Amino acid sequence: MINSRQYFREIFSLSGLLFIGNAEHEMQVKNLSISGILVAIDTSANLVDVRDVFLLLKQSSFVDIYIKSLNLAGEAEIVRVEMEDEHILIGMEFKQISYDADNLLYKRKSYRKNMAAPGQFLIKETFYYFMTRNVSVDGIMIYINQFVEVKVGMVTEFKFDKLHLYGESRIVWFEHDADGGTLIGMEYQHMEKSSLPSIPRFYHR
């Protein structure tokens, strides 16, 4: 009888990017399933070793990955790390993965990391509390659980403590949902992109 917990793994010869320790590293896909992935990182090319990876895992076992040829991007959890010659083998389980990374509803210049955290948004001298939907080095998507009258091109102030973001943003799109809430896509204004070291770019390549 086939064990339903064992997923078929296809062997691939693909390259991608792994974001760990606030840096992107080239990775080679060893095998892939619907639940996870095994990749290899060349220690000589990436200037990392197993000790570096384990030190980073003490901070968090969650990483971001991107495989352009599969239009696959998102978050995964590291569950296995071992050495093989000059390569580090890293086994990961998918957590929040998109399989249409280059064909999204709203065209994006860089990777957007799914993230739900609170913040504040100032519009017409009124503060509104929001929850983020996703965050990138270029902009942020937020949701306010009430109707807010906004316009495309409007510049507003916002505060997002989780990533220490404070400043201005420009509304590039918005929509009001059936529940009376407001979903807004914003682009940072007057902010250095380097102020977001914990968010990968990925698509800049």
Side-chain angles (χ1 to χ4, degrees), residues 96 113-117 131-135 140-143 177 183:
Q96 298 185 60
K113 180 177 178 63
N114 290 332
M115 182 181 296
M131 289 294 291
T132 57
R133 290 291 178 85
N134 54 55
V135 181
I140 187 171
M141 183 190 297
I142 66 172
Y143 181 76
D177 63 21
L183 188 65

Side-chain angles (χ1 to χ4, degrees), residues 33-78:
S33 77
I34 60 173
S35 63
I37 188 172
L38 177 66
V39 304
I41 294 179
D42 186 337
T43 57
S44 60
N46 288 273
L47 302 178
V48 294
D49 56 28
V50 171
R51 181 175 178 275
D52 295 327
V53 175
F54 278 114
L55 287 175
L56 293 170
L57 289 178
K58 287 184 177 181
Q59 302 173 23
S60 175
S61 61
F62 291 90
V63 297
D64 294 280
I65 61 173
Y66 174 49
I67 304 174
K68 181 176 178 60
S69 58
L70 295 181
N71 284 345
L72 185 151
E75 189 176 69
E77 182 178 13
I78 294 178

Side-chain angles (χ1 to χ4, degrees), residues 146-164:
Q146 63 185 96
F147 182 93
V148 182
E149 187 176 340
V150 294
K151 295 180 179 179
V152 171
M154 183 179 287
V155 176
T156 67
E157 294 182 21
F158 76 103
K159 177 182 178 182
F160 183 43
D161 290 331
K162 184 176 178 68
L163 293 181
H164 307 293

Side-chain angles (χ1 to χ4, degrees), residues 1-192:
M1 178 178 179
I2 297 176
N3 185 343
S4 61
R5 299 183 63 184
Q6 298 298 316
Y7 296 104
F8 171 73
R9 287 183 175 270
E10 181 66 56
I11 305 301
F12 286 98
S13 178
L14 302 170
S15 61
L17 295 170
L18 171 71
F19 187 78
I20 185 171
N22 296 338
E24 293 179 12
H25 299 282
E26 297 280 352
M27 67 180 188
Q28 295 297 317
V29 179
K30 304 290 285 186
N31 59 54
L32 177 74
S33 77
I34 60 173
S35 63
I37 188 172
L38 177 66
V39 304
I41 294 179
D42 186 337
T43 57
S44 60
N46 288 273
L47 302 178
V48 294
D49 56 28
V50 171
R51 181 175 178 275
D52 295 327
V53 175
F54 278 114
L55 287 175
L56 293 170
L57 289 178
K58 287 184 177 181
Q59 302 173 23
S60 175
S61 61
F62 291 90
V63 297
D64 294 280
I65 61 173
Y66 174 49
I67 304 174
K68 181 176 178 60
S69 58
L70 295 181
N71 284 345
L72 185 151
E75 189 176 69
E77 182 178 13
I78 294 178
V79 294
R80 167 191 165 199
V81 179
E82 63 184 64
M83 282 294 298
E84 183 181 83
D85 299 324
E86 293 186 350
H87 293 83
I88 301 175
L89 296 182
I90 302 176
M92 295 172 281
E93 289 184 359
F94 296 139
K95 294 301 178 182
Q96 298 185 60
I97 294 292
S98 169
Y99 294 95
D100 59 349
D102 289 328
N103 299 285
L104 299 173
L105 177 60
Y106 302 105
K107 294 299 182 181
R108 301 159 180 172
K109 297 178 182 178
S110 57
Y111 170 66
R112 286 188 175 253
K113 180 177 178 63
N114 290 332
M115 182 181 296
Q120 288 180 295
F121 176 75
L122 178 64
I123 185 75
K124 295 181 179 179
E125 300 183 352
T126 300
F127 276 104
Y128 297 91
Y129 289 91
F130 66 73
M131 289 294 291
T132 57
R133 290 291 178 85
N134 54 55
V135 181
S136 81
V137 296
D138 296 316
I140 187 171
M141 183 190 297
I142 66 172
Y143 181 76
I144 302 170
N145 64 352
Q146 63 185 96
F147 182 93
V148 182
E149 187 176 340
V150 294
K151 295 180 179 179
V152 171
M154 183 179 287
V155 176
T156 67
E157 294 182 21
F158 76 103
K159 177 182 178 182
F160 183 43
D161 290 331
K162 184 176 178 68
L163 293 181
H164 307 293
L165 287 178
Y166 314 94
E168 294 184 338
S169 61
R170 182 176 65 88
I171 296 175
V172 293
W173 63 267
F174 70 90
E175 61 183 45
H176 297 110
D177 63 21
D179 298 321
T182 307
L183 188 65
I184 303 174
M186 303 189 297
E187 183 180 61
Y188 307 134
Q189 302 290 298
H190 313 301
M191 288 180 59
E192 293 292 334

